[in-house]
Amino acid sequence: MDGILVDTTKCTGCEKCVVACIEKNHLNLEKSYYDRVTSRDGLSADRWLSINKVSEGHFTRLSCMHCVDPACVSACLVGAITKTSEGPVIYDTSKCIGCRYCMLACPFHTPRYEWNAIKPFMRKCNMCYDRLQRNELPACVAACPYEAIIFGERNELLNRARALIRSNPGKYLNHIWGEKEYGGTSVIYISEVDLAGMGWHNEPSTPIPDFTQPLIEKTPEIGLTVGSVLVGLTWIIRRRMKLTGHTDQSGDNDKMKEKVQEDVR
């Protein structure tokens, strides 16, 4: 399984990786920079990758984490999101029904919705899956001039991260973000500062689907039950309205007959 290692000690915040992502995915450049200012974390339907300031002088990359056991995949009712054997979590617009369950399920709040589009879809980083199939590096990795973003096999990246931490005492915190959190992610981090601000704090090591799958599996049953109740209520209400209307009409007819009889007299 492939992944990406982010070394925040080398990131300068130049955003060349962001530009490469925008160009590769044919996103709206002007809107992406507007979203950088207005959105909470810089991500949007036109900005799948963002560079955020962790603390003064410290920056890091933010995008889809491509979880080892993704919550978005377990939440998708139609199989529009899948975890590939190569590592990336990819999205099929032809299957999407727009329920946005993936957005609710993601512990990192990464997927974004095209709210202003006539035919909206969910958007997020796919780790340049098409480039990987051509044995090319993800666009962001290829564009980074400081080797702050490294692509490779996940286990090898973990070993590399451990070696960097061991050989540079005091430079890195003794932690690899994404190694175990939420069941592990394919994008992992080493840093000289705490990354709690990126949503890693108090994170469980158990994959999110272990918590959500029981409910997701019962969603069809819940939907059918709710639908049946609504149909039943609709029938009862219409039946009562029909009976009430019939009664009122009968009463009006009786009054009309009495008036005719009085006129005849």
Side-chain angles (χ1 to χ4, degrees), residues 116-134:
N116 297 323
I118 297 176
K119 187 178 181 182
F121 293 107
M122 182 276 292
R123 297 296 186 188
K124 72 171 194 67
C125 161
N126 59 12
M127 206 187 288
C128 292
Y129 185 59
D130 55 334
R131 288 175 61 95
L132 298 184
Q133 292 180 311
R134 299 193 299 267

Side-chain angles (χ1 to χ4, degrees), residues 252-265:
D252 292 341
N253 289 338
D254 292 339
K255 291 179 180 179
M256 182 64 71
K257 289 180 181 179
E258 291 176 359
K259 188 175 186 308
V260 170
Q261 290 175 356
E262 290 178 358
D263 292 340
V264 171
R265 291 173 186 169

Side-chain angles (χ1 to χ4, degrees), residues 2-78:
D2 292 327
I4 291 175
L5 170 62
V6 181
D7 186 343
T8 66
T9 66
K10 297 180 179 180
C11 181
T12 65
C14 69
E15 294 201 350
K16 290 185 178 180
C17 57
V18 177
V19 174
C21 176
I22 292 171
E23 292 177 349
K24 187 270 172 188
N25 293 293
H26 309 290
L27 304 177
N28 187 320
L29 180 62
E30 181 178 350
K31 187 162 187 314
S32 72
Y33 280 102
Y34 172 79
D35 294 339
R36 175 67 184 90
V37 178
T38 58
S39 69
R40 170 179 52 83
D41 53 13
L43 297 178
S44 71
D46 286 290
R47 194 178 180 89
W48 302 355
L49 172 64
S50 181
I51 297 296
N52 288 358
K53 180 186 290 186
V54 182
S55 62
E56 191 61 36
H58 301 98
F59 304 90
T60 190
R61 172 190 188 274
L62 179 64
S63 71
C64 175
M65 301 297 180
H66 299 279
C67 301
V68 174
D69 192 359
C72 59
V73 173
S74 71
C76 183
L77 302 175
V78 293

Side-chain angles (χ1 to χ4, degrees), residues 206-224:
T206 304
I208 295 297
D210 287 1
F211 299 108
T212 60
Q213 193 64 32
L215 178 61
I216 296 299
E217 289 176 347
K218 293 186 179 297
T219 297
E221 298 176 16
I222 296 173
L224 287 173

Side-chain angles (χ1 to χ4, degrees), residues 67-130:
C67 301
V68 174
D69 192 359
C72 59
V73 173
S74 71
C76 183
L77 302 175
V78 293
I81 307 178
T82 55
K83 173 73 172 180
T84 64
S85 58
E86 295 90 343
V89 176
I90 60 175
Y91 167 66
D92 186 348
T93 58
S94 67
K95 296 181 180 179
C96 181
I97 59 175
C99 68
R100 302 191 293 279
Y101 280 11
C102 56
M103 296 174 63
L104 296 173
C106 178
F108 299 100
H109 311 291
T110 298
R112 300 301 157 98
Y113 197 63
E114 295 178 309
W115 295 103
N116 297 323
I118 297 176
K119 187 178 181 182
F121 293 107
M122 182 276 292
R123 297 296 186 188
K124 72 171 194 67
C125 161
N126 59 12
M127 206 187 288
C128 292
Y129 185 59
D130 55 334

